[in-house]
Every structure is written in C-alpha cells, then in structure tokens.
Amino acid sequence: MADATLSNHNDTDEVEFPILCETCLGDNPYVRMTKEKLGKECKICSRAFTIFRWLPGRGMRYKKTEICSTCAKLKNVCQTCVLDLEHGLPVQVRDSMLSMQDEVPREESNRRDYLAKMANRLEVQGDPLDFSGKAQPAGRETLKRMARKEPYYKRNRAHVCSFFVKGQCTRGNECPYRHEMPDGNPELAKQNIVDRYHGHNDPVAQRMLARTRKSENSLTAPADKSITSLFVMGMDGLAQADLRNHFGAYGELKSVAVVPRGNCAFVNFTSRAGAEAAAKAALGGCVVKNKSVRLAWAKPKPKGPESEVAKRTGGKSSDGSQQARKGAKGIIPLPPGALQGGKSAYPSQDPTAQGAASSER
C-alpha cells in the first residue's frame, strides 16, 4: 500500500495511489486501475479527490474509492470499504474496544477547518493518532480475536439482482448481478458510508459488539459459590506449566487438567476469590504466553442418582425403612416406588430377582 501525497490545495485531494485494504485490492497481483483526477467529491468532507476504479478478480464487481485519502488517514481506514486497515473491522468496533472518540466534526464549516488543520499536521508530523492500541492491550487482544485471519474476497462479489428477487430479470446468464435470494438480517443492508466512517449507528458493528458482549457474559461469576474452576478454550499448543504460571498469579491452584483432544483445559482454584480475580482480569481478553485464549466458568458437577433419591424421599425408602445418607458406603438405595407394601409392583422392580421373570408363580 503506497502512501498518498496530499496536494497543496485545501479544497482538493490529488494522490498517486489509493489507500486500500488487502480484501478490496483483490487477490490478483497484476490488477489494473483507471485514475481520474478530481473526478468525484468525498462522501465525508465533500472535497474533490482523485478516484480509482479496478476489478479485484474474476467474477467480482468493479470497485472504486469512496472517500479521499485525508479522511482515510484520519481514521486509518480503507478508501473503499471504510474498514480499519489493521484489523478489517468497522470503526465503531475498533473505537469501542480502544476507548477512542470520534473527533471529526459533522458540521460542514467546522469539518473543513478541521480537515485543513489535520492535513497540514499529517504532512509535518505524520500520523496524528495512534491506532495500534498500545494504551488498551486488553482491547487490542479482543480486536485480534474478532478479526479475520485471511482476506474475505467474497465481499467483492457482485450484488444480488433486484429484478431476479422480484422474478422479473430477463437477462439470464448475461446479467452481471448474482441470481440468488438474499439471506441474513435485512437490517445489515441499511448501511451508509458516513455512519460507518464516524462509527455511529452501524448495524454491522452493533451486531459484532453484541456478539462480543454475549461471550463476555460467560465470565460472569455464577451464583453457586462452590464453583472455583475456569474453562480455558483455544489452547493451541499451550502446556500445563504455561497455565500454571499464568493463573497462579491470581490465587493458589488445586489442579490444572489439560484435554489435548478438545484443545481445552480446566483450571481449578482452591478458593473462589482466586477464580473471580482471574475471570475479572480476562474480561477484555486473556493472553497466555503471547497466545489469545477464551475463558468461561466451569459448569457445576451433575448430582448423582443417589442424591436425587434422597431429595425425593427425604432420606427414606418407599417401604419406610431408613436408607443410607449421601456418602455412605456399601448400601445402594432402592429406586423410588420399588416396593409397595413389601412386595414388588412387577418383577423388574425387585432387585433380588434374576432376569425378567418373577420367582412367585
């Protein structure tokens, strides 16, 4: 990605190469672009800027730049999709995780003055804002976990044919649009570049943030105080000693059980306070030995059939004899309703009988 060179004119933006993400650029290393100087106005600042148009690959639709390079630099976003260049996520998601505020004014007069000031600052000092997330390491790890590992080239596909959806398309295979029915949430189609750029009312960002909050709710301490274990997911080669060194700083550990086949582990603390401290520290993201893992509270152990019998019968069998309480050895309680008046209701309920046939004929 080449760096854009700003023009000396405050009302125009002339560059030699656009600021693009890898997804919008496409997988073709020999992509050709058409360039038109001052061919369109920026959808954010309304200044005339140089537009670029190219085909990212076979079967894809033509793409073009939508905002000027100055606005793209101020937010560290792609000029076409207006997504963050480092993580490929919406601006609203990035700013929420890194606790950043939108400083670009919405009013046209204030926006022009602000952009002119920031353009001079870009030329003199370089990048005015830090989008690396060094001040928010937990938020940065969350962004890494949310970001895609590879470019998502399907985003460059042609749009769905609206006439095909209505059953009125007559172009057949010559139609440049996709002949398939739209799926997914219809609210995601209600997007505009201005809201995406400023990070307000972006339906895609709101959906991603809601999914992240839902996953963080798994770290809410359960009401059962007897639960002192955490479930670790996404081990990716971490050893038992790595987990002990990391979680041992929050409290004394009873044991660490690693399940290699499931790529997970159980970290058992001796006290509830240690488990809660570890869960609280992992709210923004948990990193063990430079690897991001996911945490959740372990579920309580299921109660056995013996405790269920005692709960239903009050510690007594159905024939009135006192049964062994929980923890007694050598005595197996009879199932509820096994004996009625000292006699089995049917042969299979008699624990002394062998087979399905009754000894009483």
Side-chain angles (χ1 to χ4, degrees):
M1 179 179 62
D3 190 13
T5 303
L6 297 175
S7 173
N8 294 328
H9 302 285
N10 292 333
D11 294 337
T12 59
D13 182 23
E14 298 183 26
V15 296
E16 296 299 328
F17 195 80
I19 301 175
L20 301 174
C21 64
E22 189 174 354
T23 299
C24 289
L25 192 58
D27 57 349
N28 184 7
Y30 306 103
V31 62
R32 294 184 178 182
M33 292 187 177
T34 59
K35 174 182 175 182
E36 183 180 359
K37 291 185 177 181
L38 308 180
K40 201 173 181 181
E41 68 175 18
C42 175
K43 294 186 177 181
I44 305 300
C45 64
S46 301
R47 295 192 308 163
F49 75 105
T50 302
I51 61 172
F52 297 84
R53 190 171 182 266
W54 70 98
L55 185 65
R58 293 187 60 183
M60 306 298 177
R61 71 178 187 274
Y62 277 93
K63 309 200 74 172
K64 58 183 177 63
T65 51
E66 304 289 350
I67 63 176
C68 65
S69 62
T70 304
C71 293
K73 282 186 173 183
L74 292 179
K75 288 285 189 176
N76 193 38
V77 295
C78 172
Q79 284 188 254
T80 300
C81 63
V82 199
L83 297 178
D84 180 65
L85 289 173
E86 184 175 355
H87 302 98
L89 297 172
V91 174
Q92 185 173 349
V93 174
R94 183 199 64 190
D95 292 353
S96 299
M97 294 301 171
L98 301 182
S99 301
M100 302 180 66
Q101 301 294 331
D102 179 30
E103 299 180 356
V104 181
R106 292 292 190 99
E107 297 78 8
E108 183 176 357
S109 58
N110 296 337
R111 184 172 60 237
R112 285 181 175 274
D113 296 339
Y114 177 82
L115 292 175
K117 178 181 177 181
M118 296 305 293
N120 295 330
R121 186 175 176 181
L122 283 170
E123 293 179 349
V124 176
Q125 301 181 7
D127 295 334
L129 297 176
D130 181 19
F131 297 96
S132 62
K134 295 180 180 179
Q136 297 286 341
R140 183 178 182 179
E141 292 301 327
T142 303
L143 291 176
K144 288 183 179 179
R145 188 167 60 250
M146 297 173 65
R148 294 181 181 271
K149 305 301 181 183
E150 300 292 338
Y152 187 63
Y153 295 123
K154 286 186 177 181
R155 199 172 65 203
N156 300 330
R157 294 183 302 172
H159 295 296
V160 175
C161 179
S162 59
F163 289 92
F164 175 80
V165 175
K166 300 175 183 178
Q168 301 176 358
C169 184
T170 59
R171 304 179 68 176
N173 295 332
E174 297 180 357
C175 183
Y177 300 98
R178 286 186 291 148
H179 280 193
E180 59 184 57
M181 298 301 293
D183 54 354
N185 190 351
E187 292 295 329
L188 298 181
K190 301 177 181 179
Q191 305 179 48
N192 62 80
I193 292 180
V194 176
D195 288 342
R196 184 186 299 178
Y197 179 84
H198 290 283
H200 297 293
N201 300 324
D202 187 351
V204 176
Q206 292 173 358
R207 185 178 183 181
M208 297 180 69
L209 290 174
R211 191 185 305 131
T212 304
R213 296 189 191 100
K214 185 178 180 180
S215 62
E216 290 181 352
N217 289 337
S218 62
L219 290 176
T220 304
D224 190 355
K225 297 295 183 179
S226 64
I227 301 177
T228 59
S229 302
L230 295 177
F231 181 51
V232 184
M233 297 165 282
M235 295 278 290
D236 293 334
L238 292 175
Q240 186 183 48
D242 300 330
L243 297 180
R244 284 187 174 275
N245 295 335
H246 179 82
F247 292 101
Y250 302 102
E252 185 180 356
L253 298 179
K254 181 189 299 183
S255 63
V256 176
V258 179
V259 185
R261 180 176 296 181
N263 198 26
C264 59
F266 290 92
V267 180
N268 305 313
F269 290 82
T270 57
S271 64
R272 174 63 175 254
E276 290 182 353
K280 184 178 180 181
L283 282 177
C286 182
V287 180
V288 180
K289 204 174 180 180
N290 297 326
K291 292 186 179 181
S292 180
V293 297
R294 302 188 304 275
L295 256 64
W297 282 90
K299 296 182 179 179
K301 295 182 179 180
K303 298 180 180 180
E306 183 176 343
S307 60
E308 293 295 332
V309 171
K311 182 179 179 180
R312 290 196 297 262
T313 63
K316 294 184 178 181
S317 66
S318 56
D319 62 342
S321 62
Q322 185 70 26
Q323 290 292 332
R325 296 187 179 274
K326 185 177 182 180
K329 296 182 179 179
I331 302 178
I332 301 177
L334 297 177
L339 296 176
Q340 297 179 359
K343 184 179 180 181
S344 301
Y346 48 88
S348 62
Q349 286 187 333
D350 188 355
T352 62
Q354 296 183 357
S358 175
S359 59
E360 299 178 7
R361 293 288 184 179

